[in-house]
Amino acid sequence: ETGLTFTRIRPMDGKPGGQIARGGIADIDRAVSSARKAFASGIWRKKEPLEKKKIMLRWADLIRGHAEELALLETIDTGKPVMASLTVDVRLAADCIQYYAEMCDKLYDEIAPTGPNDRALVRKVPLGVIGAITPWNYPMIIETWKLGPALAAGNSVVLKPAEQSSLTAVRLAELATEAGLPDGVFNVVTGYGEEVGKALACHMDVDMIAFTGSTEVGKLIMGYAASTNLKRVALELGGKSPLIVFGDADLDAAASAVAWGCFYNSGETCHASTRLLAERGVVDALVAKIKEVTAREITLAHPLEPSAQIGALIEDAHLGKVLDMVEAGLREGAKRAFGGERVMGETGGYYVSPGVFFAPSNNASLARQEIFGPILTVIPFDGEEEAVRFANDTLYGLAGAVFTTDMSRAHRVSEDIQAGTVWINCYDLSNFATPFGGFKQSGFGRDRSVHAIDKYCDYKTIWQRFR
């Protein structure tokens, strides 16, 4: 309403990008009112499930039909390689909307057991207005993780994308309208987190906030919910995921998993395998193999280069944070194996080379803080008990992995790791059938899978007595 904008600086070259609307409280009020009006009218909530499914399937097809456009917008905003945006982010966003479209006509209510003169219907009903606040590292993917199940359940949504990554959010909304999603069902307000994000989280007519981002901001959102209308909160937060490699493991496979698990997307991944816990006898050999994999396969280049496997960090301030954390780790006694330095400075962009550091202990800052950059910390261990203890000695519990040829140990350790997802002899494999989320200060609530729909619903009992 104010007409204010802000300039998005492109991570790839540090040059001005698009002008983004700087929303405010009035815009959040309008968006929430729009969402509430649509929900109350039943224009989407009461629509025949098959019709909802058709609209969402058209939306998924439109996302695929505009794949190159969306990929370029995503890369301009985030600095990730355009080929990754095209083959991973756009593809998974479309697949997610399709997955939940197929759920629309497959959700059933229940009949509870009662006496012969009664019938108790247990209905799963939508909550109402969902506020979705999403991060900048995988904008389209995580936005559709919220939108798909929330809309399939019959809710209306107000999306506040990260200020660093607004372009694809607006385009997704335009494509949803083109597909036939009724006005008011999906609303987007762009702007700064402390302005529109906080306003959305505090709004008295929002029934739930679904948030993905830092643990620090997640705690603030819980506080906003508690101090306003007790709106529900689902949080997918930070991580410092351990990848345990025992001496009997296939070191080539482990090295590839570690390198790709930590360095993909320039390390800007909440469940990145940033802590390598390696049995002492194989540490040096494993790090050497990680260096080989990184040099051979993980090409750092300008995001518009087709050969780029990783690109720029999101912004100058984040670049400084990553480099400052590396320097602090070195002052504490960490040892650099390779990388972890600013490169390609002549481009004006925000690039850091993949780096590996030996931590002086599991208590070192590099081993405990979420750096959110391409920085791997190596910690030796002696024996299974110590490996598990190190793995769980963290505030976070998002993901983890174990590499070993001893399957009894693999299953024992995978059960003992306190994390929402644990991989055995692989890393970062998933599909929409598996829920994603964390334990401890990595948050609660699950994205993906049929279980994600549950958090956007509540159970309502309708009891009828027959005479």
Side-chain angles (χ1 to χ4, degrees), residues 447-465:
D447 290 317
R448 294 198 321 236
S449 84
V450 66
H451 302 292
I453 296 176
D454 292 343
K455 68 176 181 280
Y456 298 108
C457 298
D458 209 343
Y459 290 96
K460 179 177 184 177
T461 299
I462 300 175
W463 191 294
Q464 183 177 6
R465 167 60 59 94

Side-chain angles (χ1 to χ4, degrees), residues 40-108:
S41 75
I43 194 171
W44 180 253
R45 172 172 55 95
K46 294 182 179 181
K47 189 177 287 293
E48 185 74 23
L50 181 59
E51 292 304 310
K52 288 197 289 187
K53 172 180 173 178
K54 289 178 179 178
I55 290 171
M56 291 183 69
L57 287 175
R58 283 198 295 271
W59 187 16
D61 287 342
L62 284 169
I63 293 171
R64 295 186 181 104
H66 290 79
E68 291 187 358
E69 173 196 0
L70 288 165
L72 184 57
L73 292 174
E74 197 83 322
T75 290
I76 288 171
D77 258 350
T78 67
K80 67 175 61 187
V82 70
M83 293 306 294
S85 294
L86 181 65
T87 61
V88 178
D89 297 60
V90 177
R91 175 179 60 85
L92 290 179
D95 288 351
C96 184
I97 296 301
Q98 178 179 325
Y99 179 87
Y100 288 104
E102 295 288 356
M103 288 287 177
C104 288
D105 59 354
K106 299 174 181 66
L107 301 174
Y108 289 84

Side-chain angles (χ1 to χ4, degrees), residues 7-38:
T7 302
R8 173 69 185 132
I9 302 300
R10 301 190 312 201
M12 65 177 72
D13 55 18
K15 295 180 180 179
Q19 292 290 312
I20 309 299
R22 182 176 173 177
I25 293 175
D27 300 295
I28 288 293
D29 285 340
R30 289 176 61 197
V32 172
S33 176
S34 170
R36 179 61 65 190
K37 181 179 178 181

Side-chain angles (χ1 to χ4, degrees), residues 74-351:
E74 197 83 322
T75 290
I76 288 171
D77 258 350
T78 67
K80 67 175 61 187
V82 70
M83 293 306 294
S85 294
L86 181 65
T87 61
V88 178
D89 297 60
V90 177
R91 175 179 60 85
L92 290 179
D95 288 351
C96 184
I97 296 301
Q98 178 179 325
Y99 179 87
Y100 288 104
E102 295 288 356
M103 288 287 177
C104 288
D105 59 354
K106 299 174 181 66
L107 301 174
Y108 289 84
D109 294 323
E110 303 170 6
I111 299 293
T114 62
N117 296 323
D118 299 279
R119 178 166 294 169
L121 175 63
V122 181
R123 294 267 291 125
K124 187 181 285 188
V125 298
L127 292 176
V129 176
I130 307 299
I133 302 176
T134 53
W136 44 256
N137 57 334
Y138 294 97
M140 276 186 293
I141 290 175
I142 296 176
E143 284 157 9
T144 56
W145 282 4
K146 315 296 188 193
L147 291 165
L151 294 174
N155 296 283
S156 297
V157 179
V158 178
L159 170 65
K160 190 277 172 190
E163 54 263 35
Q164 297 89 345
S165 54
S166 304
L167 297 179
T168 50
V170 173
R171 195 70 183 104
L172 284 174
E174 291 175 338
L175 294 176
T177 298
E178 186 177 338
L181 197 70
D183 288 349
V185 176
F186 173 24
N187 311 267
V188 179
V189 182
T190 59
Y192 292 111
E194 60 270 25
E195 296 175 355
V196 288
K198 182 178 180 180
L200 183 60
C202 290
H203 203 286
M204 294 294 290
D205 202 27
V206 170
D207 298 293
M208 176 187 175
I209 293 291
F211 172 76
T212 295
S214 70
T215 297
E216 178 185 14
V217 176
K219 291 178 179 180
L220 290 176
I221 287 173
M222 285 193 74
Y224 299 150
S227 64
T228 54
N229 63 339
L230 282 179
K231 60 177 63 67
R232 302 189 187 194
V233 176
L235 305 173
E236 194 271 282
L237 307 175
K240 194 70 176 176
S241 300
L243 193 153
I244 301 172
V245 180
F246 286 96
D248 65 343
D250 180 336
L251 295 188
D252 289 321
S256 180
V258 171
W260 281 103
C262 183
F263 301 144
Y264 181 75
N265 205 47
S266 299
E268 295 171 330
T269 302
C270 52
H271 64 274
S273 55
T274 51
R275 281 194 300 152
L276 171 58
L277 307 179
E279 199 154 22
R280 195 173 299 277
V282 299
V283 170
D284 291 340
L286 184 56
V287 170
K289 289 180 180 292
I290 293 169
K291 185 175 184 179
E292 292 172 6
V293 170
T294 304
R296 182 176 66 246
E297 300 179 12
I298 305 179
T299 305
L300 173 62
H302 191 285
L304 298 183
E305 288 291 334
S307 63
Q309 293 291 346
I310 57 174
L313 296 181
I314 189 69
E315 60 187 358
D316 187 43
H318 188 60
L319 169 72
K321 174 187 172 185
V322 170
L323 295 177
D324 286 348
M325 293 175 83
V326 167
E327 289 303 313
L330 291 172
R331 289 194 298 271
E332 291 177 3
K335 304 297 182 184
R336 189 192 309 265
F338 65 86
E341 301 167 302
R342 185 173 188 181
V343 294
M344 296 174 57
E346 70 282 359
T347 67
Y350 314 128
Y351 301 89

